[in-house]
Amino acid sequence: MSGPKRGGVAVKVLSGRTAASLQRYRDSKEDKEPPLFMATRHCAMDAETQIAEWKAVRVEHGTQGATRSPRARYETVDPDTGIHASGQRGTHIKHWDGKRHRKRLAGPGETPTHLRIEPEDALPEKESEATHSIYAFGADLVNPENPEDVERAFLTVKAERDEHYPGLQESIWGERNGESGLFHVHVASNATVYRAFELDGVEYRAGQKMGGDMRDVHSVRARFEQYLDAHPEYGFEQSLSRVGTPEYAAAQRRDGQRSYWERARAEREGVAPKENNQDRIRREAYEALQVPGVTDRDSFAAEMMNRGIAVDETGLRRGKRGKGYDLRYKVDGAKQGVKGATLGPEYAHDAIDAQLALKTRGVEVEVPAGQQRVGEPAQLPLTSTSLSAEEQVELEQLKSAIAALAQDERVRQDEEQQRALQTQERSYDGEQVTEELRARIARDDAAMQARLDADAQAVFDSIRQGRAQDEQQPATGVPEQPVAGVPEPAQPEKPEPPTFRSGLRGVKAKGGSETVQRRLDGMAQLEEDYRGALPDAEYEARLTEFGIGPHFMGQYGEHLDPETHRQLTWRVQARAASAAERQSGQKYAERGQNLRKQYDQLREDGAQAQELHNRILASDSGVEKTNARRKEIHELVRDGRYEDAAQAAERHQEKDRKSREAMENYGSGLDRDEEPSASDRFSARAKAAQERDRGSMSR
């Protein structure tokens, strides 16, 4: 065998609720060809005996008949209005907790991003009992009619499963698919681990359910590809895109897979492939740009809407462009939209805006040649090694062939010249051709010969060097020379963003105060410096230096940018809440001092002293609570996170409100037949202590 045969092998991983049906699937095809090869691990070959053995393992470890509660699902809502397609308002917000994206309830004033939809059937679902893995070998890799190819493919899969998954109970069989005729290897695995083993550095114990990288289809594919690379003796090499490459990631998109199979079907049937949604968006976008009435973003979106494609903006944060800002295209009837950057750089927001700007100046819209999805060009090595004997013979033969072609071309040119000469001689009624004409013909023939020789020499040079110089020329920094007669392609000009000017510029301080005027000028400069950026610690330090507060907002807030006004409103709310917490802490501290004086006077009375001691501890706890809240709000304000600070203050107020309501409900004399809970007893003691405090302070 000269080397591994290249071809495509695809792997799928499926989960089954019941293992018995999957185990019987191997022998259930009565009217079709039986399996060509069969093997098992940690179980019998007979299906019924195998079913009993797998079940015994699940019973032993308590996974037989295991169930789980059905999970709710989250669906996206309109990012601007927070309304779901069903008309309901969203309930949750997607946020990053430092490790992964999670969903939390949307607070007051927040625009939700998702709607939580509870499962229709709340009954517990049965957990998976088995896993079905399918290895499909393409005809370019395994000939289904070749016994040697089929056997090697089956042994390859079995050896890979034995090496990577030794602790699983598995039934493995190979068969030819009746519809496609390709060779498939099926692997049925008990979802409960039979014996402890290690996979990619992770320990799996007996009785543990299959999960993680054991069932993740991308991990299973990557593991099998690495096994083929490490074992060339089986004679197989994967030719499909490898796991982890950009080509593989693009193929995982639903639209990309549909395009691939549609092209394959069209090629097989000899017809034109159907246009998918992404290709339709690409075509419609540049057709819309060429419509005379399309001159700006709004008219472009309106024209696309007429064509059945909605265009909106994504990646906006509080009305400003965020890191992921782009145009989003959505075909009518499609479940999800697609970003312009996904379609290609020619369909992103910058490229569309540039085309519109050029169109307004009278430049014709340049339609892209097509989507480019290629990687970096491979650099060919430039070597000076001499040619081998066989290569030298091939080169000499090529030289001879080119020389023969050149000679034939010269003969053809001479014949044409002679015919032209004879024709001209006849046109002059028998007059002889002049020496001047013959000299010009000779010069033309010499020029043609020189040109043919130069072309032949260029071919020889390209063969010797492997066109290495042409491949490496862009890396040398030498600019390519424009071809004569070919116009340079128009480069889209990126429109310059308009300069932002603060609304406070030119506003005069009321009363002519120089101090207030300095605040106005400083705030205007700060607003212009931070246009499009969120506040931070430096932002807060400059605000503190200017002395911006509620009075300033009431007098001059109307001149601020809406986003700046919103941020500073949150800041005012947060600072007010921090001041309120500080006052509460002072009250708790004064109360604690008074109680300590009473405690010192009543030390001899144990019961009263203990009661006062508990009340002192409650006051100290109140001081700690208010200090912690004030510190949290102060740190958020110091870092310029005004919205978070305002939300924290609102959260604390809501918690206090609920505590007060609980105390009032208990004190209102609600009838309860059962024994009061611990929280009820604590609330009663707290209310009683509060009443005694008010009585003692009034005295």
Side-chain angles (χ1 to χ4, degrees), residues 241-269:
S241 56
R242 297 297 187 97
V243 177
T245 62
E247 294 79 10
Y248 179 85
Q252 303 314 302
R253 295 196 301 269
R254 186 183 300 272
D255 191 88
Q257 293 182 13
R258 184 161 54 250
S259 301
Y260 172 80
W261 292 114
E262 176 59 30
R263 287 195 301 269
R265 183 197 65 79
E267 183 178 355
R268 183 174 63 252
E269 298 178 0

Side-chain angles (χ1 to χ4, degrees), residues 30-107:
E30 298 179 355
D31 57 340
K32 297 182 180 180
E33 182 182 23
L36 303 178
F37 302 95
M38 292 189 297
T40 59
R41 187 188 317 112
H42 304 314
C43 57
M45 187 74 69
D46 178 69
E48 298 304 322
T49 306
Q50 184 184 115
I51 291 172
E53 292 175 342
W54 286 23
K55 181 178 179 180
V57 173
R58 295 193 298 272
V59 171
E60 177 185 356
H61 297 288
T63 58
Q64 174 64 18
T67 60
R68 63 176 179 86
S69 300
R71 298 178 180 177
R73 71 180 190 274
Y74 294 87
E75 294 187 358
T76 56
V77 300
D78 187 277
D80 298 326
T81 63
I83 304 300
H84 187 254
S86 62
Q88 304 179 58
R89 182 171 177 79
T91 56
H92 287 69
I93 289 181
K94 181 180 179 181
H95 73 104
W96 177 259
D97 65 352
K99 295 183 180 179
R100 62 176 181 173
H101 286 287
R102 296 182 181 272
K103 309 290 190 309
R104 65 171 176 84
L105 283 172

